[in-house]
């Protein structure tokens, strides 16, 4: 009987080429069509493990951990200086899903620096920011702005300790004037002090104290007028217990039972 031979079934050549092109494990530099290059580990044809990526358009370099094609883990990101062409580190720290996430330090081009927590590429959590004018903020952040509790130290030595909301002083807070030996404690709304008590604080250690100390203040027996009434940002009443009895002081501000903000 005649022998019938059936041709061996073979996959198209492009299937074989595709299998050979699949990248897994440590590979030498692989160049993308757009000129980007990557050197490091792969898994299932995705960057996975340790590796270094160089972007052709910007010249930026990322070196660190990868997870299924995205920056994830610990790594550093650097960019070339537009003038000297030398590489300048911009960020070093943790990444999540190809964005800054976790603890990390970011160096801004204008010389500012942030060291703290990140979430989805934004400053969120607890962090410390060094501004170019010499100011330093340390405290809570939310979506790239101070939000919660924090301390702002100014170059002249003054500092604010208290609440923040969307990057502005908001809520109970204390503003210290070390050179004058004074302290303003009160309530802020959108960066504006609405009411508070100004008292002497460590006056004996102040570098340039006022000529005379502030009058005796009954902290719990005065009330501040809202700025919309007198057209000023802050109106503070100072009353001596000898000159202004509690009842008259309270009634003069239209508040029979003034309540002072909670103090820690």
């Amino acid at each position: 009987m005649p022998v019938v031979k059936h041709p061996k079934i073979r996959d198209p050549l492009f299937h074989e080429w595709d299998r050979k092109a699949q990248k897994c494990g440590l590979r030498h530099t692989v160049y993308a069509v757009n000129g980007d290059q990557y050197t490091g580990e792969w898994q299932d044809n995705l960057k996975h493990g340790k590796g270094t990526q160089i972007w052709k358009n910007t010249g930026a370099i990322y070196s660190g951990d990868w997870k299924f094609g995205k920056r994830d883990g610990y790594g550093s990101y650097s960019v070339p200086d537009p003038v000297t062409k030398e590489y300048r580190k911009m960020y070093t720290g943790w990444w999540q899903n190809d964005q800054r996430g976790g603890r990390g330090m970011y160096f801004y081009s204008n010389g500012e620096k942030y060291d703290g927590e990140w979430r989805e590429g934004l400053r969120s959590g607890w962090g410390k920011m060094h501004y170019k004018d010499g100011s330093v903020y340390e405290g809570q952040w939310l979506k790239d702005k101070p939000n919660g509790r924090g301390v702002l130290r100014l170059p002249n030595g003054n500092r604010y300790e208290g609440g923040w909301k969307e990057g502005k002083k908001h809520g109970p807070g204390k503003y210290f004037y070390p050179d004058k030996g004074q302290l303003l404690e009160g309530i802020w709304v959108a960066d504006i002090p609405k009411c508070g008590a100004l008292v002497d604080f460590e006056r004996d250690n102040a570098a340039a104290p006022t000529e005379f100390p502030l009058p005796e203040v009954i902290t719990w027996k005065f009330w501040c007028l809202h700025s919309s009434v007198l057209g000023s940002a802050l109106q503070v009443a100072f009353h001596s217990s000898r000159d202004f009895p509690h009842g008259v002081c309270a009634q003069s501000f239209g508040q029979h039972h003034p309540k002072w903000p909670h103090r820690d």
Side-chain angles (χ1 to χ4, degrees), residues 112-190:
E112 297 181 345
K113 179 179 67 175
Y114 172 81
D115 183 8
E117 297 176 302
W118 298 78
R119 189 178 300 119
E120 297 181 352
L122 302 176
R123 294 168 290 184
S124 293
W126 189 271
K128 188 175 184 179
M129 182 74 187
H130 297 260
Y131 297 95
K132 61 181 179 180
D133 65 354
S135 302
V136 178
Y137 170 82
E138 183 173 7
Q140 295 175 303
W141 295 75
L142 181 63
K143 295 182 179 179
D144 242 14
K145 295 181 180 180
N147 199 96
R149 302 290 297 179
V151 179
L152 176 65
R153 294 179 173 86
L154 302 178
N156 60 7
N158 294 349
R159 74 179 187 275
Y160 169 81
E161 301 178 2
W164 295 79
K165 183 178 181 181
E166 297 182 352
K168 297 181 179 181
K169 306 177 191 68
H170 194 91
K174 299 178 182 180
Y175 201 104
F176 295 84
Y177 302 87
D179 59 331
K180 301 295 183 182
Q182 295 178 340
L183 162 65
L184 173 61
E185 182 175 4
I187 300 292
W188 273 255
V189 177

Side-chain angles (χ1 to χ4, degrees), residues 66-106:
W66 295 78
K67 186 175 180 181
F68 300 117
K70 296 182 178 181
R71 292 169 290 185
D72 200 295
Y74 191 86
S76 61
Y77 181 82
S78 304
V79 296
D81 187 275
V83 179
T84 64
K85 304 303 180 182
E86 295 182 357
Y87 275 92
R88 175 178 59 85
K89 186 173 293 185
M90 285 191 66
Y91 176 79
T92 179
W94 292 92
W95 300 73
Q96 292 177 352
N97 196 30
D98 218 32
Q99 295 180 316
R100 294 183 291 274
R103 182 69 183 269
M105 184 177 294
Y106 191 94

Side-chain angles (χ1 to χ4, degrees), residues 181-183 197-201 203 210 212-217 238:
Q182 295 178 340
L183 162 65
L198 183 65
V199 298
D200 286 326
F201 181 80
R203 176 183 171 84
T210 56
F212 301 102
L214 291 172
E216 180 183 354
V217 179
F238 299 101

